[in-house]
Amino acid sequence: MLMSYETSLELLKAHLKPYEKVEKVALTQCLGRILAQDIKALKNYPEFPISAMDGYALKFDEQDKPLRVLGVTPAGKMPEFKVESGTCVKTFTGSLMSEGSDTLVPVENVELKDGQIYIKEAVKKGFAVRKVGESYQKDELLLVRGTKLDYSEIALLAELGFFHISVFVRPVVGVLSSGSEIKDLGESLENPAQIRSSNHIALANLAQKLGCEARVFPLLKDEEKLTQSTLENALKTCDILITTGGVSMGDFDFLKKAVRAYEIIIDKVDIKPGRHIKIAQFEEKFILALPGFPYSAMVMFNLYAREILNAWLLQKKDYILHAFLEQDYIKKSPYLEFVACNVELKEGRVCVNLKGKKEGSSAIINNLNNKAALMIVPKECEKVQKGTLVDIILMP
């Protein structure tokens, strides 16, 4: 009896340990990296009231009379003047507000004559003044460990004064494709029985999209003696080793035997595609032996390698959504199915359809084109009717 998908995930998670590889990286090199520390504010920001516009700093309740301009406070300079009754200070965007002032009147609301301003249009109290702690207050938690650093988060770190920041070391994902019938990029096909390998390209790109360093190994031919040593050597430099091909029931599926030299966690799962998947563990490293068909390999990477990386890099599993199916779907197997589908937003609803998706084997790469998602079709049902709310998995 095949293991259920849910049980396989539970087993996998039970074997995962915290990922503790951390490095310091310059802020200019942090785009897309995963933060390995919590970030708290060391002080209020701003520390003092700051002008948000060019104008005049004054007392709110004195806008109905002429005010003498004491001087100017440029940005980056400490204020030299104290605002008292009947006075104001010309103040520029980003400048500290002068002592005694509580409001800023924009220059366009003012007429300047003989060193005095006459306010043509009054403003409310505190107008155009950034309050102390407006952005964040001392000890406020700003970024949590596991945050993926994008342009805004990096800008915040720069504002906080960081030059280097602690991030998780990119896990190394190795890709080892096998099969005497496959040829590498640039190699000629010698006969119609041969095909060009695409798995190593697809899986390396998926690994990079998930924040990993991808390491592609030379293609492995179906030779039993060579398979075990190649597997051992590849595993030395990886956190996760992905193999494709050689795990089903063929006479030349030597990878299946080689993987069994390690602790097998998962051996076949009640799913389509990819039911012949095997996952083994060596110390804190994992071997994911995936089927050789490209569509199957990419789906399995998303279902299992992504699960490991989520746990290691503290990523939320926020890519499973509900969507409305726009057509009937007849199940093709007795297993839990993951079906490529198109995702569209229509009138505020997430909808999926199978337009342009070809029926056939798990070799159809183009079924995952155009940002396709995976529709989860339960094992128990035989047909999913149009209008049903289904679960979908967004691909990276």
Side-chain angles (χ1 to χ4, degrees):
M1 185 175 179
L2 295 177
M3 181 186 301
S4 72
Y5 175 59
E6 293 75 15
T7 300
S8 71
L9 289 185
E10 290 173 5
L11 277 172
L12 183 60
K13 291 175 183 178
H15 284 79
L16 292 173
K17 294 182 180 179
Y19 185 75
E20 296 177 344
K21 297 180 181 180
V22 175
E23 62 181 343
K24 276 195 172 293
V25 175
L27 212 57
T28 53
Q29 303 298 314
C30 278
L31 185 64
R33 299 299 297 270
I34 308 298
L35 191 63
Q37 64 182 101
D38 288 339
I39 301 295
K40 291 185 177 182
L42 298 178
K43 57 186 179 182
N44 295 329
Y45 186 73
E47 287 188 87
F48 304 95
I50 290 179
S51 168
M53 301 177 70
D54 293 344
Y56 293 87
L58 44 80
K59 294 180 181 294
F60 165 73
D61 56 6
E62 293 198 330
Q63 297 182 69
D64 57 348
K65 59 185 179 182
L67 299 173
R68 180 167 58 89
V69 181
L70 297 176
V72 176
T73 301
K77 298 288 185 180
M78 293 299 292
E80 299 179 5
F81 310 98
K82 180 178 181 180
V83 172
E84 296 177 334
S85 181
T87 66
C88 65
V89 176
K90 189 170 186 180
T91 305
F92 294 91
T93 304
S95 299
L96 297 184
M97 295 288 289
S98 296
E99 183 182 351
S101 66
D102 58 16
T103 301
L104 186 116
V105 177
V107 291
E108 56 267 30
N109 291 25
V110 167
E111 180 181 343
L112 177 63
K113 185 177 180 180
D114 297 329
Q116 293 190 118
I117 62 167
Y118 298 82
I119 297 173
K120 299 181 292 182
E121 183 178 344
V123 296
K124 63 182 180 180
K125 188 172 184 177
F127 183 81
V129 178
R130 294 192 61 205
K131 297 178 181 179
V132 172
E134 178 191 74
S135 291
Y136 40 81
Q137 298 181 349
K138 183 180 179 181
D139 295 326
E140 183 180 342
L141 181 62
L142 302 177
L143 297 172
V144 298
R145 190 167 170 261
T147 297
K148 187 172 184 178
L149 297 175
D150 209 337
Y151 64 92
S152 179
E153 290 81 5
I154 293 173
L156 175 60
L157 291 169
E159 182 177 83
L160 291 166
F162 286 93
F163 180 71
H164 288 90
I165 199 73
S166 292
V167 296
F168 287 110
V169 174
R170 289 190 179 100
V172 178
V173 175
V175 183
L176 177 62
S177 292
S178 71
S180 293
E181 77 281 10
I182 58 176
K183 290 288 188 176
D184 209 341
L185 302 181
E187 292 185 329
S188 299
L189 301 184
E190 298 164 3
N191 60 64
Q194 296 178 335
I195 60 173
R196 293 186 178 89
S197 175
S198 58
N199 282 336
H200 62 315
I201 301 301
L203 300 180
N205 284 330
L206 277 170
Q208 289 178 323
K209 290 191 75 172
L210 291 174
C212 301
E213 177 186 336
R215 189 160 296 165
V216 179
F217 296 102
L219 300 181
L220 176 63
K221 301 302 180 184
D222 291 326
E223 298 176 18
E224 187 168 5
K225 291 182 180 179
L226 182 63
T227 299
Q228 188 65 53
S229 61
T230 301
L231 196 67
E232 291 174 1
N233 289 329
L235 194 57
K236 290 176 183 177
T237 59
C238 303
D239 297 297
I240 301 174
L241 177 61
I242 309 291
T243 70
T244 65
V247 294
S248 57
M249 305 300 290
D251 292 342
F252 299 99
D253 290 343
F254 300 123
L255 260 175
K256 178 172 63 175
K257 181 179 178 181
V259 170
R260 290 191 182 282
Y262 301 93
E263 179 191 355
I264 299 291
I265 301 172
I266 295 167
D267 188 359
K268 298 182 184 178
V269 182
D270 194 4
I271 56 177
K272 180 181 174 60
R275 70 179 182 275
H276 290 292
I277 184 174
K278 290 174 176 53
I279 299 181
Q281 186 172 23
F282 174 65
E283 297 175 348
E284 294 184 7
K285 302 182 178 187
F286 292 89
I287 305 169
L288 275 63
L290 308 183
F293 277 153
Y295 175 82
S296 181
M298 287 186 271
V299 171
M300 290 300 97
F301 185 98
N302 187 67
L303 297 183
Y304 289 99
R306 194 177 189 181
E307 201 75 39
I308 296 171
L309 296 170
N310 282 346
W312 280 354
L313 301 177
L314 310 178
Q315 298 302 290
K316 295 178 181 178
K317 199 170 180 178
D318 55 3
Y319 46 85
I320 299 180
L321 307 178
H322 300 306
F324 291 94
L325 182 61
E326 295 186 309
Q327 63 188 87
D328 291 342
Y329 175 75
I330 306 297
K331 273 195 79 188
K332 307 299 188 294
S333 75
Y335 310 112
L336 173 69
E337 292 184 357
F338 295 90
V339 181
C341 61
N342 308 302
V343 183
E344 298 178 7
L345 187 63
K346 295 182 177 180
E347 298 179 350
R349 302 201 313 176
V350 180
C351 300
V352 295
N353 62 68
L354 307 177
K355 295 175 185 176
K357 302 305 179 188
K358 301 177 185 294
E359 293 187 12
S361 70
S362 298
I364 306 174
I365 294 176
N366 35 307
N367 272 349
L368 288 173
N369 287 359
N370 300 314
K371 298 184 178 179
L374 299 174
M375 178 174 68
I376 304 174
V377 183
K379 173 182 171 63
E380 297 77 17
C381 77
E382 296 180 356
K383 177 181 179 180
V384 185
Q385 293 186 329
K386 177 181 178 180
T388 300
L389 193 61
V390 296
D391 288 336
I392 62 170
I393 300 175
L394 302 180
M395 296 292 276

